[in-house]
């Protein structure tokens, strides 16, 4: 009796399992047929071939309409494995100039799912890419002999000259991450990798088109599906006009030859960047074509880091250019007036603290202090503010106010330029010193008053400070792109950003910068017929000091603000001032005088020896 019951139970269990399996199969069939389009897509790929039509990438022009980047046709040789039968391999290799071993390796890589995850026997795969038009023309006549091989028309970027690499960037093949992040791209597509090409990729790339081709049961192409009713043409990318002046950019890069550093010029009235040069640089034309990968590896391994855009990624002590900010903060917070005078006995000397200074008249007030770049004046200014207990309950509160001023001036955080990789620089706060020094006071941090110590800034931030002073208290976020054809630039680049300092306090700062040019530390920037205002910077360094300068012109209704920073260049007057003066003269006059051209040639030839152990 018990065995009979066990037999009955077993029948129910087996029956239940069978019913469960049937239900699972039914659910799976319903999913495949009604809810999923996987089989439909696979069937479509057998019946249709979708040929992508690539748009022309947008052109890039300078502010005067001169072409900087354009397109030239190139071609990809494609292979469809399903149709590739009876091909004379030796003749094919001879026609396209490769060896049989190369052919076998390329075919192997096409079939390798790790290297080509989108592989399908029924879809064209890239066999060779970026073949110039002149090479392709010879192969085109023989193409009909090779079943399964076709041509995909593409384009490659061409550059009008060997300048602007850090601004313009380059275009390269998409990475797996790019494909994962956007369904626009597929394996073999190209994308902006650096510079403007990266920042404005969506505007520049355009929209792809498509031809839908009908196949027969043997996979042979029969023509356009529905007579091309569902085909669509590509839409070209948008052209960009930059604020860059091509000739100014060329000059800046020429002056930086053999040097590490940066030159940045801004139009104060708009925030448009007129030039942005970083040294060392490289020729953007080497980043095009089949040698791009090799050249990129060589640049990456170069110890002087030519791929680094020092204008926005280099963070340096701003040195004495920073004194302008301290004068502004002191005036706004009431720690000084334009008549306040401080002594200078070859430096700041107080309670065992000493910061040296060069010889000049003493005592002196703000305007001559800027003109002579007096360290002592600005040390006393900071000391008085940080110890003002009528305004601040302690030093930490005073320092917080100090930092808030500098952040409003564009320091301590990225400005928001339309280039990838901008660094923030460093403006320390009270918590930073409490963490690192435990006990501290105004004397502990006095070197920040002259742009040393923990303070760092990018050359772009210094140029923006100069533009802000030129504007007497406001700036526009610096940006490379001036206009997008058929589009608009980000509204943030049209918004006026004001500092926390009253406009009236900028007047003596401008006067002090003008005095520096007329008879102070910036005498080398005194251009006949142009009212230049400037400020030198000599940033202390473990090795040779860095040479810095910022200046704008004309003094009233300014058209250009420039910053120069040369690593290990010595005093600000050694490199910073003369290079800045050449940039100002070139932009305002449209050309350099004969004597200035000779001076530019001399400075371009003056190379600084750097250790490769950097």
């Amino acid at each position: 009796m018990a065995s009979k019951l066990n037999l009955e139970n077993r029948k129910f269990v087996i029956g239940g399992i069978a019913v469960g399996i049937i239900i699972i199969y039914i659910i799976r069939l319903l999913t495949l047929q009604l809810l999923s389009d996987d089989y439909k897509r696979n069937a479509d790929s057998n019946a249709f071939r979708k040929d992508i039509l690539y748009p022309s990438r947008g052109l890039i022009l300078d502010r005067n309409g001169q072409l900087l980047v354009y397109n030239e046709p190139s071609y990809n040789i494609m292979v469809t494995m399903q149709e590739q039968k009876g091909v004379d391999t030796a003749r094919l290799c001879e026609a396209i100039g490769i060896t049989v071993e190369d052919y076998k390796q390329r075919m192997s890589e096409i079939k390798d799912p790790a290297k080509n995850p989108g592989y399908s026997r029924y879809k064209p795969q890239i066999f060779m890419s970026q073949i110039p038009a002149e090479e392709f023309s010879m192969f085109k006549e023989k193409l009909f002999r090779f079943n399964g091989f076709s041509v995909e028309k593409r384009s490659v970027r061409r550059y009008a000259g060997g300048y602007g690499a850090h601004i313009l960037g380059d275009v390269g093949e998409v990475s797996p991450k790019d494909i994962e992040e956007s369904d626009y791209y597929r394996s073999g597509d190209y994308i902006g990798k650096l510079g403007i090409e990266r920042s404005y990729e969506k505007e520049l790339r355009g929209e792809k088109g498509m031809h839908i081709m009908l196949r027969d049961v043997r996979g042979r192409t029969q023509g356009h599906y529905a007579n091309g009713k569902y085909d669509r043409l590509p839409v070209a990318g948008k052209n960009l006009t930059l604020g860059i002046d091509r000739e100014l950019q060329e000059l800046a890069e020429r002056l930086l030859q053999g040097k590490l550093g940066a030159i940045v010029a801004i139009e104060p009235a708009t925030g448009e960047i007129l030039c942005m040069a970083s040294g060392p640089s490289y020729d953007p034309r080497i980043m095009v074509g089949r040698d791009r990968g090799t050249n990129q590896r060589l640049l990456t391994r170069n110890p002087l880091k030519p791929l680094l855009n020092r204008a926005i990624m280099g963070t340096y002590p701003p040195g004495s250019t920073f004194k302008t900010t301290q004068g502004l903060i002191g005036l706004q917070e009431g720690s000084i007036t334009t008549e306040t005078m401080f002594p200078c006995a070859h430096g700041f000397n107080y309670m065992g603290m000493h910061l040296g200074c060069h010889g000049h008249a003493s005592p002196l007030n703000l305007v001559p202090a800027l003109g002579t770049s007096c360290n002592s004046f600005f040390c006393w200014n900071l000391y008085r503010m940080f110890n003002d207990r009528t305004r601040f309950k302690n030093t930490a509160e005073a320092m917080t106010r100090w930092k808030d001023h500098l952040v409003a001036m564009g320091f301590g955080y990225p400005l928001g330029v339309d280039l990838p990789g901008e660094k923030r620089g460093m403006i320390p706060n009270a918590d930073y010193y409490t963490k690192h020094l435990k006990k501290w006071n105004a004397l502990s941090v006095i070197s920040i008053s002259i742009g040393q110590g923990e303070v760092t800034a990018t050359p772009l931030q210094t140029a923006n400070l100069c533009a802000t002073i030129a504007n007497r208290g406001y700036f526009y976020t610096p940006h490379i792109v001036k206009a997008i054809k058929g589009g608009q630039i980000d509204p943030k680049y049209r918004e006026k950003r004001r500092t926390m300092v009253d406009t009236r306090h900028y007047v003596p700062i401008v006067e002090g910068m003008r005095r520096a040019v007329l008879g102070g530390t910036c005498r080398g920037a005194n251009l006949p017929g142009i009212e230049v205002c400037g400020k030198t910077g000599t940033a202390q360094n473990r090795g040779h000091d860095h040479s810095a300068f910022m200046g704008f012109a004309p003094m009233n209704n300014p058209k250009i603000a420039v910053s120069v920073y040369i690593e290990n260049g010595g005093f600000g007057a050694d490199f910073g001032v003369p290079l800045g003066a050449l940039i100002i003269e070139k932009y305002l006059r449209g050309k350099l005088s004969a004597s200035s051209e000779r001076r530019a040639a001399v400075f371009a030839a003056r190379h600084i020896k750097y250790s490769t152990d950097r």
Side-chain angles (χ1 to χ4, degrees):
M1 183 71 177
S3 61
K4 187 176 180 181
L5 285 172
N6 287 336
L7 184 61
E8 290 290 332
N9 289 339
R10 238 178 290 158
K11 284 166 58 181
F12 286 124
V13 170
I14 293 170
I17 292 172
V19 171
I21 291 172
I22 292 170
I23 291 172
I24 290 171
Y25 271 106
I26 291 172
I27 292 172
R28 180 59 179 157
L29 286 169
L30 287 170
T31 301
L32 290 173
Q33 293 183 33
L34 300 180
L35 303 179
S36 173
D37 61 353
D38 288 350
Y39 276 87
K40 181 180 183 301
R41 284 202 306 268
N42 288 336
D44 284 349
S45 70
N46 292 333
F48 303 110
R49 188 184 79 222
K50 296 179 180 178
D51 292 343
I52 301 297
L53 304 177
Y54 289 91
S56 296
R57 200 167 174 85
L59 307 178
I60 302 178
L61 305 94
D62 86 336
R63 67 186 299 109
N64 300 311
Q66 297 189 66
L67 205 56
L68 299 176
V69 186
Y70 57 98
N71 304 303
E72 277 190 359
S74 74
Y75 300 87
N76 292 342
I77 296 179
M78 314 295 288
V79 59
T80 304
M81 294 301 190
Q82 180 66 17
E83 300 174 5
Q84 192 254 336
K85 296 174 183 177
V87 172
D88 187 332
T89 303
R91 180 175 286 185
L92 173 67
C93 293
E94 181 182 355
I96 57 180
I98 64 172
T99 65
V100 174
E101 288 71 26
D102 287 336
Y103 174 88
K104 291 178 180 178
Q105 181 180 348
R106 290 172 188 273
M107 284 298 190
S108 175
E109 290 177 353
I110 288 172
K111 297 175 184 178
D112 185 347
K115 295 182 178 179
N116 185 22
Y119 172 70
S120 167
R121 288 186 57 83
Y122 298 95
K123 294 181 179 179
Q125 309 293 312
I126 295 178
F127 180 76
M128 283 184 69
S129 63
Q130 294 195 10
I131 299 174
E134 58 272 17
E135 292 182 24
F136 170 72
S137 62
M138 294 183 287
F139 173 68
K140 184 179 180 181
E141 298 174 358
K142 305 170 185 177
L143 180 63
F144 72 94
R145 299 174 180 171
F146 309 115
N147 294 332
F149 284 86
S150 59
V151 171
E152 178 181 73
K153 186 176 180 180
R154 301 295 297 271
S155 62
V156 292
R157 294 302 244 177
R158 289 287 182 252
Y159 299 86
Y163 46 83
H166 292 107
I167 297 171
L168 302 172
D170 64 293
V171 174
E173 195 167 330
V174 291
S175 66
K177 184 180 179 183
D178 294 325
I179 297 172
E180 183 181 328
E181 290 178 349
S182 173
D183 57 8
Y184 177 88
Y185 303 103
R186 66 169 189 168
S187 181
D189 282 357
Y190 297 100
I191 190 172
K193 293 290 186 180
L194 295 170
I196 287 300
E197 295 278 17
R198 184 71 180 185
S199 300
Y200 289 84
E201 166 65 14
K202 289 184 179 179
E203 289 81 5
L204 287 167
R205 73 188 183 190
E207 298 176 18
K208 294 176 183 175
M210 183 181 294
H211 282 167
I212 304 176
M213 312 302 290
L214 188 64
R215 302 173 186 268
D216 64 15
V217 292
R218 298 191 180 187
R220 295 174 299 194
T221 302
Q222 299 299 302
H224 290 264
Y225 172 64
N227 293 320
K229 179 180 178 181
Y230 300 102
D231 293 350
R232 66 174 185 271
L233 294 174
V235 178
K238 295 179 173 66
N239 296 342
L240 302 183
T241 297
L242 309 187
I244 297 295
D245 182 297
R246 191 187 78 174
E247 294 183 1
L248 197 68
Q249 182 71 27
E250 286 184 89
L251 174 62
E253 294 194 21
R254 181 157 63 99
L255 295 173
L256 284 176
Q257 288 176 2
K259 308 168 189 70
L260 300 184
I263 298 175
V264 181
I266 297 174
E267 183 179 60
T270 62
E272 292 165 11
I273 295 174
L274 302 171
C275 75
M276 177 185 283
S278 175
S281 188
Y282 58 95
D283 190 331
R285 293 172 292 193
I286 68 172
M287 300 295 278
V288 175
R290 284 171 280 178
D291 292 331
R292 180 185 182 278
T294 301
N295 291 329
Q296 185 176 38
R297 283 191 294 274
L298 291 173
L299 291 170
T300 301
R301 293 169 185 168
N302 188 321
L304 297 181
K305 302 179 181 178
L307 288 173
L308 181 70
N309 184 355
R310 287 171 166 81
I312 61 172
M313 298 176 180
T315 53
Y316 306 99
S320 294
T321 60
F322 200 65
K323 291 173 182 174
T324 55
T325 69
Q326 302 308 287
L328 289 164
I329 295 171
L331 291 170
Q332 184 68 29
E333 295 303 321
S335 56
I336 59 170
T337 69
T338 55
E339 303 304 319
T340 301
M341 303 185 80
F342 292 121
C344 180
H346 290 283
F348 174 77
N349 298 280
Y350 186 66
M351 296 182 65
M353 173 61 66
H354 175 73
L355 280 176
C357 190
H358 52 276
H360 56 72
S362 174
L364 71 180
N365 59 18
L366 176 60
V367 171
L370 284 169
T372 59
S373 197
C374 175
N375 285 341
S376 181
F377 183 94
F378 295 97
C379 289
W380 281 115
N381 170 54
L382 186 78
Y383 181 82
R384 180 179 281 191
M385 175 184 170
F386 277 19
N387 287 285
D388 184 354
R389 293 298 167 261
T390 63
R391 292 179 63 83
F392 309 107
K393 64 181 180 182
N394 53 40
T395 305
E397 184 179 289
M399 186 165 207
T400 298
R401 179 69 172 174
W402 175 83
K403 179 172 182 176
D404 289 344
H405 272 291
L406 290 166
V407 170
M409 292 178 188
F411 292 97
Y413 296 91
L415 279 164
V417 67
D418 49 349
L419 287 173
E422 183 190 4
K423 301 300 182 186
R424 61 183 290 172
M426 170 68 169
I427 300 295
N429 59 17
D431 290 341
Y432 174 89
Y433 285 119
T434 300
K435 178 180 178 181
H436 290 86
L437 299 180
K438 308 303 181 186
K439 293 182 179 180
W440 61 280
N441 56 35
L443 289 178
S444 308
V445 301
I446 201 70
S447 62
I448 63 177
S449 66
I450 57 172
Q452 296 286 167
E454 292 70 34
V455 171
T456 62
T458 66
L460 176 65
Q461 288 172 331
T462 303
N464 186 67
L465 167 64
C466 193
T468 305
I469 296 171
N471 287 334
R472 280 60 166 178
Y474 68 88
F475 65 92
Y476 295 93
T477 301
H479 52 285
I480 297 289
V481 173
K482 179 184 178 75
I484 303 171
K485 187 175 182 180
Q488 292 185 336
I489 66 170
D490 192 319
K492 75 177 183 180
Y493 297 124
R494 299 284 189 247
E495 294 173 3
K496 189 179 288 188
R497 296 169 62 177
R498 293 194 172 275
T499 70
M500 296 163 54
V501 177
D502 295 342
T503 300
R504 61 191 173 92
H505 294 316
Y506 282 87
V507 175
I509 302 300
V510 171
E511 186 182 343
M513 292 177 68
R514 179 63 180 151
R515 182 173 296 197
V517 172
L518 290 175
T521 57
C522 297
R523 288 186 296 273
N526 192 9
L527 300 173
I530 300 176
E531 289 186 303
V532 178
C533 300
K535 182 72 194 75
T536 53
T538 303
Q540 293 178 4
N541 182 50
R542 290 175 184 171
H544 206 42
D545 290 344
H546 302 317
S547 177
F549 167 78
M550 71 175 191
F552 67 89
M555 182 171 72
N556 299 306
N557 192 25
K559 304 296 183 185
I560 182 172
V562 62
S563 75
V564 180
Y565 206 99
I566 305 297
E567 294 185 32
N568 309 132
F571 293 114
D574 291 345
F575 277 97
V577 172
L579 299 193
L582 288 167
I583 293 294
I584 291 171
E585 180 184 353
K586 171 66 175 175
Y587 185 69
L588 293 182
R589 291 184 173 154
K591 64 179 181 178
L592 295 177
S593 66
S595 60
S596 294
E597 191 60 63
R598 289 192 294 271
R599 192 161 60 252
V602 169
F603 276 101
R606 285 180 63 183
H607 294 187
I608 300 174
K609 291 185 178 180
Y610 295 97
S611 168
T612 55
D613 182 22
R614 300 179 72 86

